[in-house]
Coordinates of all heavy atoms in Angstrom, one line a residue:
W1 N 11.3 -3.5 3.1 CA 10.2 -2.7 3.4 C 10.4 -1.2 3.1 O 9.5 -0.4 3.1 CB 9.8 -2.8 4.9 CG 10.8 -2.4 5.8 CD1 11.9 -3.1 6.3 CD2 10.9 -1.1 6.4 NE1 12.7 -2.3 7.1 CE2 12.1 -1.1 7.2 CE3 10.2 0.1 6.4 CZ2 12.5 0.0 8.0 CZ3 10.6 1.2 7.1 CH2 11.7 1.1 7.9
D2 N 11.6 -0.8 2.9 CA 12.0 0.6 2.7 C 12.1 1.1 1.3 O 12.5 2.2 1.1 CB 13.2 0.9 3.5 CG 13.3 2.3 4.1 OD1 12.2 2.9 4.1 OD2 14.4 2.7 4.5
T3 N 11.7 0.3 0.4 CA 11.8 0.7 -1.0 C 10.4 0.3 -1.7 O 9.8 -0.6 -1.3 CB 12.9 -0.1 -1.8 OG1 12.7 -1.5 -1.8 CG2 14.3 0.3 -1.2
E4 N 10.1 1.0 -2.8 CA 8.8 0.8 -3.4 C 8.7 -0.6 -4.0 O 7.7 -1.2 -4.0 CB 8.6 1.9 -4.5 CG 8.3 3.2 -3.8 CD 8.1 4.3 -4.9 OE1 7.1 4.2 -5.7 OE2 8.9 5.3 -4.9
R5 N 9.8 -1.1 -4.6 CA 9.8 -2.4 -5.2 C 10.5 -3.4 -4.3 O 11.4 -4.1 -4.7 CB 10.5 -2.4 -6.6 CG 9.9 -1.5 -7.6 CD 8.6 -2.1 -8.3 NE 9.0 -3.4 -8.8 CZ 8.1 -4.4 -9.0 NH1 6.9 -4.2 -8.7 NH2 8.5 -5.5 -9.5
N6 N 10.0 -3.5 -3.1 CA 10.6 -4.4 -2.1 C 10.2 -5.9 -2.4 O 9.4 -6.2 -3.2 CB 10.2 -4.0 -0.7 CG 8.7 -4.0 -0.5 OD1 8.1 -5.0 -0.7 ND2 8.2 -2.9 -0.1
L7 N 10.9 -6.7 -1.6 CA 10.7 -8.2 -1.9 C 9.2 -8.6 -1.7 O 8.7 -9.4 -2.5 CB 11.6 -9.0 -0.9 CG 11.5 -10.5 -1.0 CD1 11.9 -11.0 -2.4 CD2 12.4 -11.2 0.0
S8 N 8.5 -8.0 -0.7 CA 7.1 -8.4 -0.5 C 6.3 -8.0 -1.8 O 5.4 -8.8 -2.2 CB 6.6 -7.7 0.7 OG 5.2 -8.0 0.9
V9 N 6.5 -6.8 -2.3 CA 5.8 -6.4 -3.5 C 6.1 -7.4 -4.7 O 5.1 -7.8 -5.4 CB 6.1 -5.0 -3.9 CG1 5.6 -4.6 -5.3 CG2 5.6 -4.0 -2.9
K10 N 7.3 -7.7 -4.9 CA 7.7 -8.6 -6.0 C 7.1 -10.0 -5.8 O 6.6 -10.6 -6.8 CB 9.2 -8.7 -6.0 CG 9.9 -7.4 -6.5 CD 11.4 -7.6 -6.4 CE 12.0 -6.2 -6.7 NZ 13.5 -6.3 -6.6
I11 N 7.1 -10.5 -4.6 CA 6.5 -11.8 -4.3 C 5.0 -11.8 -4.6 O 4.5 -12.7 -5.3 CB 6.7 -12.3 -2.9 CG1 8.2 -12.6 -2.7 CG2 5.8 -13.5 -2.5 CD1 8.6 -12.9 -1.3
W12 N 4.3 -10.8 -4.1 CA 2.8 -10.8 -4.3 C 2.4 -10.5 -5.8 O 1.5 -11.0 -6.3 CB 2.1 -9.8 -3.3 CG 2.1 -10.4 -2.0 CD1 2.8 -10.0 -0.9 CD2 1.3 -11.5 -1.6 NE1 2.5 -10.8 0.2 CE2 1.6 -11.8 -0.2 CE3 0.4 -12.4 -2.2 CZ2 1.0 -12.8 0.5 CZ3 -0.1 -13.4 -1.5 CH2 0.1 -13.6 -0.1
E13 N 3.2 -9.6 -6.4 CA 3.0 -9.3 -7.8 C 3.1 -10.6 -8.7 O 2.3 -10.9 -9.5 CB 3.9 -8.2 -8.3 CG 3.7 -7.8 -9.7 CD 4.6 -6.6 -10.0 OE1 5.8 -6.6 -9.7 OE2 4.1 -5.7 -10.7
N14 N 4.2 -11.3 -8.4 CA 4.4 -12.6 -9.2 C 3.3 -13.6 -8.8 O 2.8 -14.3 -9.7 CB 5.8 -13.2 -8.9 CG 6.9 -12.4 -9.5 OD1 6.7 -11.7 -10.5 ND2 8.1 -12.4 -8.9
F15 N 2.9 -13.7 -7.6 CA 1.8 -14.6 -7.2 C 0.5 -14.2 -8.0 O -0.1 -15.1 -8.5 CB 1.6 -14.5 -5.7 CG 0.4 -15.3 -5.2 CD1 0.6 -16.7 -4.9 CD2 -0.8 -14.8 -5.1 CE1 -0.5 -17.4 -4.5 CE2 -1.9 -15.5 -4.7 CZ -1.7 -16.9 -4.4
C16 N 0.3 -12.9 -8.1 CA -1.0 -12.5 -8.7 C -1.0 -12.6 -10.2 O -2.0 -12.8 -10.8 CB -1.3 -11.0 -8.3 SG -1.9 -10.9 -6.6
I17 N 0.2 -12.6 -10.8 CA 0.3 -12.8 -12.2 C -0.2 -14.2 -12.6 O -0.9 -14.4 -13.6 CB 1.8 -12.7 -12.7 CG1 2.2 -11.2 -12.7 CG2 2.0 -13.3 -14.1 CD1 3.6 -10.9 -12.9
V18 N 0.0 -15.2 -11.7 CA -0.4 -16.5 -11.9 C -1.8 -16.8 -11.4 O -2.6 -17.5 -12.0 CB 0.6 -17.5 -11.3 CG1 0.2 -19.0 -11.4 CG2 2.0 -17.3 -12.0
N19 N -2.1 -16.3 -10.2 CA -3.3 -16.7 -9.5 C -4.4 -15.7 -9.3 O -5.5 -16.1 -8.8 CB -2.8 -17.1 -8.0 CG -1.9 -18.3 -8.1 OD1 -2.2 -19.4 -8.5 ND2 -0.6 -18.0 -7.7
C20 N -4.2 -14.5 -9.7 CA -5.2 -13.4 -9.4 C -5.6 -12.7 -10.7 O -5.0 -12.8 -11.7 CB -4.6 -12.4 -8.5 SG -3.9 -13.0 -7.0
K21 N -6.7 -12.0 -10.6 CA -7.1 -11.2 -11.7 C -6.4 -9.8 -11.7 O -6.1 -9.3 -12.7 CB -8.7 -11.0 -11.6 CG -9.2 -10.3 -12.8 CD -10.7 -10.3 -12.8 CE -11.2 -9.6 -14.1 NZ -12.7 -9.5 -14.1
F22 N -6.1 -9.3 -10.5 CA -5.5 -8.0 -10.3 C -4.5 -8.1 -9.2 O -4.6 -8.8 -8.3 CB -6.5 -6.9 -10.0 CG -7.6 -6.7 -11.0 CD1 -8.9 -7.2 -10.7 CD2 -7.4 -6.1 -12.2 CE1 -9.9 -7.0 -11.6 CE2 -8.3 -6.0 -13.1 CZ -9.6 -6.4 -12.9
F23 N -3.5 -7.2 -9.3 CA -2.6 -7.0 -8.2 C -2.7 -5.5 -7.7 O -2.5 -4.6 -8.5 CB -1.1 -7.2 -8.7 CG -0.1 -6.8 -7.6 CD1 -0.1 -7.5 -6.4 CD2 0.8 -5.8 -7.9 CE1 0.9 -7.2 -5.4 CE2 1.8 -5.5 -6.9 CZ 1.8 -6.2 -5.7
F24 N -3.2 -5.4 -6.5 CA -3.4 -4.1 -5.9 C -2.2 -3.6 -5.1 O -2.0 -4.1 -4.0 CB -4.6 -4.1 -5.0 CG -5.9 -4.3 -5.7 CD1 -6.4 -5.6 -5.8 CD2 -6.5 -3.3 -6.5 CE1 -7.6 -5.8 -6.5 CE2 -7.7 -3.6 -7.2 CZ -8.2 -4.8 -7.2
N25 N -1.3 -2.9 -5.8 CA -0.1 -2.4 -5.1 C -0.4 -1.0 -4.5 O -0.4 0.0 -5.2 CB 1.1 -2.3 -6.1 CG 2.3 -1.9 -5.5 OD1 2.4 -1.7 -4.3 ND2 3.4 -1.8 -6.3
N26 N -0.6 -1.0 -3.2 CA -0.9 0.3 -2.5 C 0.4 1.0 -2.1 O 0.3 2.1 -1.6 CB -1.8 0.0 -1.3 CG -3.1 -0.6 -1.8 OD1 -3.9 0.2 -2.4 ND2 -3.3 -1.8 -1.5
N27 N 1.6 0.4 -2.2 CA 2.8 1.0 -1.8 C 3.1 2.3 -2.4 O 3.6 3.2 -1.7 CB 4.0 0.1 -2.0 CG 4.1 -1.0 -1.0 OD1 3.4 -1.0 0.0 ND2 5.0 -1.9 -1.2
N28 N 2.8 2.5 -3.7 CA 3.1 3.7 -4.4 C 2.5 4.9 -3.7 O 3.1 6.0 -3.5 CB 2.6 3.6 -5.8 CG 3.4 2.6 -6.6 OD1 4.5 2.2 -6.2 ND2 2.7 2.1 -7.6
Y29 N 1.2 4.8 -3.2 CA 0.5 5.9 -2.6 C 1.3 6.3 -1.3 O 1.6 7.5 -1.1 CB -0.9 5.6 -2.2 CG -1.6 6.7 -1.5 CD1 -2.2 7.7 -2.2 CD2 -1.5 6.8 -0.1 CE1 -2.8 8.8 -1.5 CE2 -2.1 7.8 0.6 CZ -2.7 8.8 -0.1 OH -3.3 9.9 0.6
F30 N 1.7 5.4 -0.5 CA 2.3 5.7 0.8 C 3.7 6.2 0.6 O 4.2 7.1 1.3 CB 2.2 4.5 1.7 CG 0.8 4.1 2.0 CD1 0.2 3.0 1.4 CD2 0.1 4.9 2.9 CE1 -1.1 2.7 1.7 CE2 -1.3 4.6 3.2 CZ -1.9 3.5 2.6
F31 N 4.4 5.6 -0.4 CA 5.8 6.2 -0.7 C 5.7 7.6 -1.2 O 6.5 8.4 -0.9 CB 6.5 5.3 -1.7 CG 7.2 4.1 -1.0 CD1 6.6 2.9 -0.9 CD2 8.5 4.3 -0.4 CE1 7.3 1.8 -0.3 CE2 9.1 3.3 0.2 CZ 8.5 2.0 0.3
N32 N 4.7 7.9 -2.1 CA 4.5 9.3 -2.5 C 4.2 10.2 -1.4 O 4.7 11.3 -1.4 CB 3.4 9.3 -3.6 CG 3.9 8.7 -4.9 OD1 5.1 8.6 -5.2 ND2 2.9 8.3 -5.7
Q33 N 3.4 9.8 -0.5 CA 3.1 10.6 0.7 C 4.4 10.9 1.5 O 4.6 12.0 2.0 CB 2.0 9.9 1.6 CG 0.7 9.9 1.0 CD 0.1 11.2 0.7 OE1 0.1 12.1 1.5 NE2 -0.3 11.4 -0.6
S34 N 5.2 9.8 1.7 CA 6.4 10.0 2.5 C 7.4 11.0 1.8 O 8.2 11.6 2.5 CB 7.1 8.7 2.8 OG 7.6 8.1 1.6
K35 N 7.3 11.0 0.5 CA 8.2 12.0 -0.3 C 7.7 13.4 -0.1 O 8.5 14.4 -0.1 CB 8.2 11.7 -1.7 CG 9.0 10.4 -2.0 CD 8.8 10.0 -3.5 CE 9.4 8.6 -3.7 NZ 9.1 8.1 -5.1
K36 N 6.4 13.6 0.1 CA 5.8 14.9 0.3 C 6.1 15.4 1.8 O 6.2 16.6 2.0 CB 4.3 14.9 0.1 CG 3.9 14.7 -1.3 CD 2.4 14.6 -1.5 CE 2.0 14.3 -2.9 NZ 0.6 14.1 -3.0
T37 N 6.1 14.5 2.7 CA 6.3 14.9 4.1 C 7.6 14.2 4.6 O 8.6 14.7 4.4 CB 5.1 14.6 5.0 OG1 4.8 13.1 4.9 CG2 3.8 15.3 4.6
S38 N 7.4 13.1 5.2 CA 8.5 12.3 5.6 C 8.0 10.8 5.9 O 6.8 10.6 6.0 CB 9.2 12.8 6.9 OG 8.3 12.5 8.0
K39 N 9.0 9.9 6.0 CA 8.6 8.5 6.2 C 7.8 8.4 7.6 O 6.8 7.8 7.6 CB 9.8 7.6 6.2 CG 9.5 6.2 6.6 CD 10.8 5.3 6.5 CE 11.9 5.7 7.4 NZ 13.0 4.7 7.4
W40 N 8.3 9.1 8.6 CA 7.7 8.9 9.9 C 6.4 9.6 10.0 O 5.5 9.2 10.7 CB 8.7 9.4 11.0 CG 9.9 8.5 11.0 CD1 11.2 8.8 10.7 CD2 9.9 7.1 11.3 NE1 12.0 7.7 10.8 CE2 11.2 6.6 11.2 CE3 8.9 6.2 11.7 CZ2 11.6 5.3 11.4 CZ3 9.3 4.9 11.9 CH2 10.6 4.4 11.8
E41 N 6.2 10.8 9.3 CA 4.9 11.4 9.3 C 3.9 10.5 8.6 O 2.7 10.5 9.1 CB 5.0 12.8 8.6 CG 5.7 13.8 9.4 CD 5.1 14.1 10.8 OE1 3.8 14.2 10.8 OE2 5.8 14.2 11.8
T42 N 4.3 9.9 7.6 CA 3.4 9.0 6.8 C 3.0 7.8 7.7 O 1.8 7.4 7.8 CB 4.0 8.5 5.5 OG1 4.4 9.6 4.7 CG2 3.1 7.6 4.8
I43 N 4.0 7.2 8.4 CA 3.7 6.1 9.3 C 2.7 6.5 10.4 O 1.8 5.8 10.7 CB 5.0 5.6 9.9 CG1 5.8 4.8 8.8 CG2 4.8 4.6 11.1 CD1 7.2 4.5 9.2
K44 N 3.0 7.7 11.0 CA 2.1 8.2 12.1 C 0.7 8.4 11.6 O -0.3 8.2 12.3 CB 2.7 9.4 12.7 CG 3.9 9.2 13.6 CD 4.3 10.4 14.4 CE 4.9 11.5 13.6 NZ 5.4 12.6 14.3
K45 N 0.6 8.9 10.4 CA -0.7 9.3 9.8 C -1.6 8.0 9.4 O -2.8 8.0 9.6 CB -0.6 10.2 8.6 CG -1.9 10.7 8.0 CD -1.6 11.7 6.9 CE -3.0 12.2 6.4 NZ -2.8 13.3 5.4
Y46 N -0.9 7.0 8.9 CA -1.7 5.9 8.3 C -1.6 4.5 9.0 O -2.3 3.6 8.6 CB -1.2 5.7 6.8 CG -1.6 6.9 6.0 CD1 -0.6 7.7 5.5 CD2 -2.9 7.2 5.7 CE1 -0.9 8.8 4.7 CE2 -3.2 8.3 4.9 CZ -2.2 9.1 4.4 OH -2.5 10.2 3.7
Y47 N -0.7 4.4 10.0 CA -0.5 3.1 10.6 C -0.8 3.2 12.1 O -0.7 4.3 12.7 CB 1.0 2.6 10.5 CG 1.3 2.2 9.1 CD1 1.7 3.1 8.1 CD2 1.3 0.9 8.7 CE1 2.0 2.8 6.8 CE2 1.6 0.5 7.4 CZ 2.0 1.4 6.5 OH 2.3 1.1 5.2
L48 N -1.1 2.0 12.7 CA -1.3 2.0 14.2 C 0.1 2.1 14.8 O 1.1 1.6 14.3 CB -1.9 0.6 14.6 CG -3.3 0.3 14.1 CD1 -3.7 -1.1 14.4 CD2 -4.3 1.3 14.7
I49 N 0.2 2.8 15.9 CA 1.5 3.1 16.5 C 2.1 1.8 17.0 O 1.4 0.9 17.6 CB 1.3 4.1 17.7 CG1 0.7 5.4 17.2 CG2 2.6 4.3 18.5 CD1 1.5 6.1 16.2
N50 N 3.3 1.6 16.7 CA 4.1 0.3 17.1 C 3.4 -0.9 16.5 O 3.4 -2.0 17.2 CB 4.2 0.2 18.6 CG 5.0 1.4 19.2 OD1 6.0 1.8 18.6 ND2 4.6 1.8 20.3
D51 N 2.9 -0.8 15.3 CA 2.2 -2.0 14.7 C 2.4 -1.9 13.2 O 2.6 -0.8 12.7 CB 0.7 -1.9 15.0 CG -0.1 -3.2 14.8 OD1 0.3 -3.9 13.9 OD2 -1.0 -3.5 15.6
V52 N 2.3 -3.0 12.5 CA 2.4 -3.0 11.0 C 1.1 -2.8 10.3 O 1.1 -2.7 9.1 CB 3.1 -4.3 10.5 CG1 4.5 -4.4 11.1 CG2 2.2 -5.5 10.9
H53 N 0.0 -2.7 11.1 CA -1.3 -2.6 10.5 C -1.8 -1.2 10.3 O -1.3 -0.3 11.0 CB -2.3 -3.4 11.3 CG -2.1 -4.8 11.4 ND1 -1.3 -5.4 12.4 CD2 -2.4 -5.8 10.6 CE1 -1.2 -6.7 12.2 NE2 -1.8 -7.0 11.1
F54 N -2.6 -1.0 9.3 CA -3.2 0.4 9.1 C -4.2 0.8 10.1 O -4.9 0.0 10.6 CB -3.8 0.4 7.7 CG -2.8 0.3 6.6 CD1 -2.7 -0.9 5.9 CD2 -2.1 1.3 6.2 CE1 -1.8 -1.1 4.9 CE2 -1.1 1.2 5.1 CZ -1.0 0.0 4.5
N55 N -4.2 2.1 10.3 CA -5.3 2.7 11.2 C -6.5 3.0 10.3 O -6.5 2.6 9.1 CB -4.8 3.9 11.9 CG -4.3 5.0 11.0 OD1 -4.7 5.1 9.8 ND2 -3.5 5.9 11.5
D56 N -7.5 3.8 10.8 CA -8.6 4.1 10.0 C -8.3 4.9 8.7 O -8.8 4.6 7.6 CB -9.6 4.9 10.8 CG -10.3 4.1 11.9 OD1 -10.3 2.8 11.8 OD2 -10.9 4.7 12.8
A57 N -7.4 5.8 8.8 CA -7.0 6.6 7.7 C -6.3 5.8 6.6 O -6.5 5.9 5.4 CB -6.1 7.8 8.1
G58 N -5.4 4.9 7.1 CA -4.8 3.9 6.1 C -5.7 3.0 5.4 O -5.6 2.8 4.2
N59 N -6.7 2.5 6.2 CA -7.7 1.6 5.6 C -8.6 2.3 4.6 O -9.0 1.8 3.6 CB -8.5 0.9 6.7 CG -7.8 -0.3 7.3 OD1 -7.5 -1.2 6.6 ND2 -7.5 -0.2 8.5
E60 N -8.8 3.6 4.9 CA -9.6 4.4 4.0 C -8.9 4.5 2.6 O -9.6 4.4 1.6 CB -9.9 5.8 4.6 CG -10.9 6.6 3.7 CD -11.3 7.9 4.4 OE1 -11.2 8.0 5.6 OE2 -11.6 8.8 3.6
I61 N -7.6 4.7 2.7 CA -6.8 4.8 1.4 C -6.9 3.5 0.7 O -7.1 3.5 -0.5 CB -5.4 5.3 1.7 CG1 -5.3 6.6 2.3 CG2 -4.5 5.1 0.5 CD1 -5.9 7.7 1.5
L62 N -6.7 2.4 1.4 CA -6.7 1.1 0.8 C -8.1 0.8 0.1 O -8.2 0.3 -1.0 CB -6.5 0.0 1.8 CG -5.1 0.0 2.5 CD1 -5.0 -1.1 3.5 CD2 -4.0 -0.1 1.4
A63 N -9.2 1.2 0.8 CA -10.5 1.0 0.3 C -10.7 1.8 -1.0 O -11.3 1.3 -2.0 CB -11.6 1.3 1.3
K64 N -10.3 3.1 -1.0 CA -10.5 4.0 -2.1 C -9.7 3.4 -3.3 O -10.2 3.4 -4.4 CB -10.1 5.4 -1.8 CG -11.1 6.1 -0.9 CD -10.6 7.5 -0.6 CE -11.6 8.3 0.3 NZ -11.1 9.6 0.6
N65 N -8.5 3.0 -3.1 CA -7.7 2.5 -4.1 C -8.3 1.2 -4.7 O -8.4 1.0 -5.9 CB -6.2 2.2 -3.6 CG -5.3 1.7 -4.7 OD1 -5.5 2.0 -5.9 ND2 -4.3 0.9 -4.3
F66 N -8.7 0.3 -3.9 CA -9.4 -0.9 -4.3 C -10.6 -0.6 -5.2 O -10.8 -1.1 -6.3 CB -9.7 -1.8 -3.1 CG -10.6 -3.0 -3.6 CD1 -9.9 -4.1 -4.1 CD2 -11.9 -3.0 -3.4 CE1 -10.7 -5.2 -4.5 CE2 -12.7 -4.1 -3.8 CZ -12.1 -5.2 -4.4
L67 N -11.5 0.2 -4.6 CA -12.7 0.6 -5.3 C -12.5 1.2 -6.7 O -13.1 1.0 -7.7 CB -13.6 1.4 -4.5 CG -14.2 0.7 -3.3 CD1 -15.0 1.6 -2.4 CD2 -15.1 -0.5 -3.7
S68 N -11.5 2.1 -6.7 CA -11.2 2.8 -8.0 C -10.7 1.9 -9.0 O -11.1 1.9 -10.2 CB -10.2 4.0 -7.8 OG -8.9 3.5 -7.5
K69 N -9.9 0.9 -8.7 CA -9.4 -0.1 -9.6 C -10.4 -1.1 -9.9 O -10.6 -1.5 -11.1 CB -8.1 -0.8 -9.1 CG -7.0 0.2 -9.0 CD -5.7 -0.4 -8.5 CE -4.6 0.6 -8.5 NZ -3.3 0.0 -8.0
Y70 N -11.2 -1.6 -9.0 CA -12.2 -2.6 -9.2 C -13.3 -2.1 -10.1 O -13.8 -2.7 -11.0 CB -12.8 -3.0 -7.8 CG -13.9 -4.1 -7.9 CD1 -13.5 -5.4 -8.1 CD2 -15.2 -3.7 -7.8 CE1 -14.5 -6.4 -8.2 CE2 -16.2 -4.7 -7.9 CZ -15.8 -6.1 -8.1 OH -16.7 -7.0 -8.2
E71 N -13.8 -0.8 -9.8 CA -14.8 -0.3 -10.6 C -14.4 0.0 -12.1 O -15.3 0.0 -13.0 CB -15.3 1.0 -10.0 CG -16.1 0.8 -8.7 CD -16.4 2.0 -7.9 OE1 -15.8 3.1 -8.2 OE2 -17.1 1.9 -6.9
N72 N -13.1 0.2 -12.3 CA -12.7 0.5 -13.7 C -12.3 -0.8 -14.4 O -11.8 -0.7 -15.6 CB -11.5 1.4 -13.6 CG -11.9 2.8 -13.2 OD1 -13.0 3.3 -13.5 ND2 -11.0 3.5 -12.4
N73 N -12.5 -2.0 -13.9 CA -12.1 -3.2 -14.6 C -13.3 -4.2 -14.6 O -14.1 -4.3 -14.1 CB -10.9 -3.9 -13.9 CG -9.7 -3.1 -14.1 OD1 -9.3 -2.9 -15.3 ND2 -9.0 -2.7 -13.1

């Protein structure tokens, strides 16, 4: 979970090569944010506290990323 090309990303990317039209890898955005500030600042800003799920700000980023890729394909 602590690297951009982590096991979860590789599994879903390979799954989507066979089964999906697109692979939406949102990790890059959040890793770039953590490089600008810090890992913990990024977690506090985009995730629910003590949870693996995104908060409103995190979901907004996911939606914008999805729409920008969906609309361009």
Side-chain angles (χ1 to χ4, degrees):
W1 63 274
D2 210 14
T3 61
E4 291 180 59
R5 295 283 305 153
N6 60 56
L7 181 59
S8 180
V9 169
K10 292 175 185 175
I11 289 170
W12 285 111
E13 185 175 43
N14 289 331
F15 176 86
C16 285
I17 288 170
V18 175
N19 299 294
C20 307
K21 188 172 181 180
F22 302 106
F23 173 61
F24 295 98
N25 183 2
N26 296 291
N27 279 354
N28 296 336
Y29 177 86
F30 297 105
F31 275 97
N32 288 336
Q33 290 301 307
S34 70
K35 290 173 189 171
K36 292 177 185 175
T37 58
S38 73
K39 176 174 64 174
W40 296 114
E41 288 300 316
T42 302
I43 290 169
K44 288 191 288 187
K45 184 173 182 178
Y46 296 109
Y47 289 84
L48 297 172
I49 301 301
N50 298 321
D51 197 327
V52 298
H53 296 95
F54 291 102
N55 61 20
D56 289 345
N59 278 300
E60 186 175 336
I61 296 302
L62 297 179
K64 286 179 181 178
N65 184 29
F66 173 80
L67 291 173
S68 71
K69 290 181 181 179
Y70 181 79
E71 291 170 348
N72 291 325
N73 288 302

